[in-house]
Amino acid sequence: NPGLYIFNGTGGMNIASGTTLNGTGVTFYFVNGASFTISNGATANLTAPTSGTYSGILFEQDPSDTAADEFSGGSTGNVAGIFYLPGANLTLANGTATTFSTDFVVGSLTMSGAATLKPYAPLSGASPLSSPRLVE
């Protein structure tokens, strides 16, 4: 369902082993060491919301968190939205065949494998990255 999904604490979201994750109008927020891994044949078809407080934001991680996030190991799908992970390493590796229509705000980016990158173009309005915002 559309909405904001909050992961609080170590662990977070681990999608693997042939699982399919579909979501339109979703934002995943990670805080207090939470992170995400989409791997081992998982399919992720995700689109960020196009209006509201989190317009354009698909994945957001607290700026003070440095927990690593990844798409790897044969994961597939289509992902559209902004990755706002300013303190984290994002890894796209090991055969991920996911198509990313996204903008990245990440601490670092590690890439290997078959990921396809495309610029993020929201379905309506301008990207939230086109104008400055104050975030706490």
Side-chain angles (χ1 to χ4, degrees):
N1 291 327
L4 174 64
Y5 295 86
I6 299 171
F7 295 86
N8 186 355
T10 58
M13 182 172 74
N14 185 6
I15 308 299
S17 300
T19 302
T20 298
L21 177 64
N22 295 316
T24 300
V26 294
T27 297
F28 299 98
Y29 182 74
F30 302 90
V31 64
N32 295 322
S35 62
F36 66 87
T37 300
I38 299 175
S39 64
N40 297 332
T43 300
N45 296 303
L46 303 170
T47 304
T50 57
S51 63
T53 302
Y54 293 96
S55 178
I57 305 294
L58 184 58
F59 291 99
E60 182 172 352
Q61 190 166 343
D62 186 293
S64 64
D65 283 348
T66 59
D69 303 298
E70 70 177 70
F71 280 81
S72 64
S75 60
T76 63
N78 294 289
V79 175
I82 296 167
F83 285 57
Y84 184 77
L85 317 166
N89 177 65
L90 175 63
T91 299
L92 310 176
N94 298 334
T96 185
T98 305
T99 298
F100 296 92
S101 299
T102 186
D103 293 331
F104 294 117
V105 177
V106 296
S108 63
L109 178 63
T110 303
M111 291 184 61
S112 66
T116 301
L117 299 180
K118 296 180 177 182
Y120 175 62
L123 300 176
S124 64
S127 168
L129 296 179
S130 63
S131 61
R133 293 184 182 194
L134 177 60
V135 178
E136 288 187 58

